[in-house]
């Protein structure tokens, strides 16, 4: 009896490990804290197709963009750490200081970053500013005279990128007029009509208006010029500043995600991001590619947590 009891106990102890070793045995949910059709949704669906082919089980994308993404991020945070609910994450550091939700890096298991889209600094074509330095100097001299669209909420990636740049240029951020709106596309149209002086957004979002000669891109906040927009200089070229600022996306699991599952996902994502078809599809649709493994991704997110919350405080948001 004692021996059989010991064997039974050993089997019970071994079951969780065996279950994780066989992961995935059933469909996996990829939570997307954004609505259908946007960049986060599109890249998640591109990943899901390849993960499904890799693991031979469905990876189902579930959109939960309610509350500006709070619902979806909460779902990822509160999921069982068994690998059957993972999610695509983006800049979430602003939710906590703005009183919208209490999310921190420690609430998740970072798996990998796969995307970075540098911000662009856009003005209307008839604006007298010809360079980003001229724009920054003018705003610094009279910060209350100019309006900057946040696109959506003012804690998002594009306005935070612009605010970080302005702050480092020595602009009095307490006087800057940053105005929330209904998205970058609408804000760009409003700017063309005279409603805003500056709209920070991704360059591809402004692309149609740039190509139509109605908007000027003064700088891209990345390390290199964009292949599709070679005439727009980098921030470093124009100012000497090396800030790489913009929107990023990565994959995370719940806190305490089984290490074996996390390692399998990280390895699969690395294989995907390094594949030629993935790179061609991403660049063809205007998305930047940025790979960070789990350790580097965690370090990056912790840095974002600090810097974003600092600028949110400076902006009084």
């Amino acid at each position: 009896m004692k021996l059989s009891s010991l064997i039974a106990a050993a089997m019970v102890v071994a079951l969780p490990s065996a279950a994780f070793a066989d992961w995935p045995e059933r469909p996996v949910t990829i939570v997307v804290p954004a609505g259908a059709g946007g960049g986060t949704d599109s890249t998640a669906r591109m990943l899901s197709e390849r993960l499904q082919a890799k693991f031979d089980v469905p990876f189902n994308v579930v959109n939960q963009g309610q509350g500006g993404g709070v619902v979806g991020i909460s779902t990822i945070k509160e999921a069982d750490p068994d690998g059957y609910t993972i999610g695509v994450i983006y800049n979430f550091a602003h939710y906590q200081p703005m009183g919208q939700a209490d999310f921190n890096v420690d609430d998740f298991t970072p798996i990998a970053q796969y995307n970075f889209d540098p911000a662009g600094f856009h003005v209307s074509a008839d604006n007298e500013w010809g360079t980003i330095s001229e724009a920054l100097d003018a705003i610094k001299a009279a910060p209350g005279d100019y309006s900057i669209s946040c696109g959506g909420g003012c804690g998002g990636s594009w306005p935070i990128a612009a605010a970080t740049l302005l702050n480092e240029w020595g602009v009095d951020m307490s006087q800057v007029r940053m105005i929330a709106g209904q998205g970058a596309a609408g804000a760009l149209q409003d700017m063309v009509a005279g409603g805003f002086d500056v709209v920070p957004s991704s360059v591809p979002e402004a692309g149609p208006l740039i190509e139509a000669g109605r908007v000027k891109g003064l700088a891209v906040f990345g390390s290199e010029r964009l292949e599709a927009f070679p005439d727009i200089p980098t921030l470093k070229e124009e100012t000497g500043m090396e800030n790489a600022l913009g929107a990023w996306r990565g994959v995370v699991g719940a806190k305490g995600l089984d290490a074996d599952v996390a390692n399998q996902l990280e390895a699969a994502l690395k294989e995907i991001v390094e594949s030629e078809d993935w790179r061609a599809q991403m660049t063809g649709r205007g998305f930047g590619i940025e790979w960070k493994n789990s350790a580097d991704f965690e370090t990056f997110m912790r840095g974002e947590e600090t810097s974003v919350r600092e600028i949110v405080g400076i902006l009084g948001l």
Side-chain angles (χ1 to χ4, degrees):
M1 291 294 292
K2 289 184 179 179
L3 179 60
S4 62
S5 297
L6 287 171
I7 292 172
M11 290 177 64
V12 170
V13 170
L15 278 175
S17 177
F20 283 125
D22 292 337
W23 178 94
E25 295 180 306
R26 54 187 171 85
V28 176
T29 295
I30 302 178
V31 177
V32 174
T40 304
D41 174 66
S42 296
T43 59
R45 292 181 187 277
M46 290 160 59
L47 286 176
S48 73
E49 293 173 5
R50 291 163 171 83
L51 289 169
Q52 179 167 319
K54 172 72 174 177
F55 292 105
D56 200 30
V57 300
F59 277 70
N60 300 315
V61 171
V62 174
N63 296 95
Q64 293 186 343
Q66 303 94 322
V70 169
V71 172
I73 297 174
S74 295
T75 297
I76 302 167
K77 174 182 175 179
E78 295 164 6
D80 291 333
D82 57 8
Y84 288 100
T85 298
I86 58 176
V88 173
I89 204 77
Y90 45 71
N91 169 29
F92 60 87
H94 60 287
Y95 290 111
Q96 192 254 19
M98 293 177 68
Q100 296 171 320
D102 189 15
F103 300 134
N104 298 285
V105 176
D106 288 335
D107 295 325
F108 308 99
T109 298
I111 297 171
Q113 180 183 341
Y114 64 87
N115 161 252
F116 173 73
D117 293 321
F121 193 98
H122 304 114
V123 300
S124 63
D126 58 4
N127 191 298
E128 62 182 9
W129 300 331
T131 67
I132 185 73
S133 296
E134 291 177 7
L136 294 171
D137 286 341
I139 296 171
K140 182 176 180 178
D145 290 354
Y146 303 101
S147 59
I148 301 173
S149 171
C150 293
C154 289
S157 297
W158 309 130
I160 287 294
T164 299
L165 173 61
L166 293 170
N167 184 60
E168 293 190 9
W169 201 258
V171 175
D172 182 355
M173 297 307 295
S174 68
Q175 301 300 310
V176 173
R177 291 190 294 134
M178 299 190 73
I179 302 168
Q182 298 300 313
L188 287 160
Q189 291 288 351
D190 287 346
M191 180 178 71
V192 168
F196 294 110
D197 296 292
V198 177
V199 175
S201 73
S202 73
V203 178
E205 283 177 304
L209 289 172
I210 292 173
E211 292 167 356
R214 302 176 70 189
V215 166
K216 293 188 292 188
L218 297 186
V220 59
F221 294 20
S223 58
E224 299 177 351
R225 295 192 183 203
L226 299 180
E227 184 177 337
F229 300 91
D231 295 332
I232 302 178
T234 66
L235 192 60
K236 183 178 180 180
E237 287 179 82
E238 291 292 303
T239 68
M241 302 171 74
E242 297 195 37
N243 299 38
L245 302 166
W248 53 269
R249 299 178 179 96
V251 178
V252 298
K255 179 180 179 180
L257 177 65
D258 179 77
D260 180 64
V261 173
N263 289 338
Q264 288 188 63
L265 281 166
E266 181 182 347
L269 290 168
K270 187 175 190 294
E271 184 178 315
I272 289 168
V273 172
E274 290 179 348
S275 67
E276 289 299 324
D277 70 304
W278 165 267
R279 301 183 77 84
Q281 188 175 14
M282 285 284 284
T283 56
R285 299 181 66 173
F287 296 114
I289 300 168
E290 179 83 18
W291 170 258
K292 285 187 177 69
N293 63 23
S294 58
D296 291 341
F297 188 30
E298 179 176 354
T299 299
F300 169 76
M301 286 200 294
R302 291 192 185 282
E304 283 276 295
E305 191 170 79
T306 299
S307 62
V308 168
R309 289 177 179 177
E310 180 180 353
I311 198 67
V312 165
I314 290 170
L315 289 172
L317 298 175

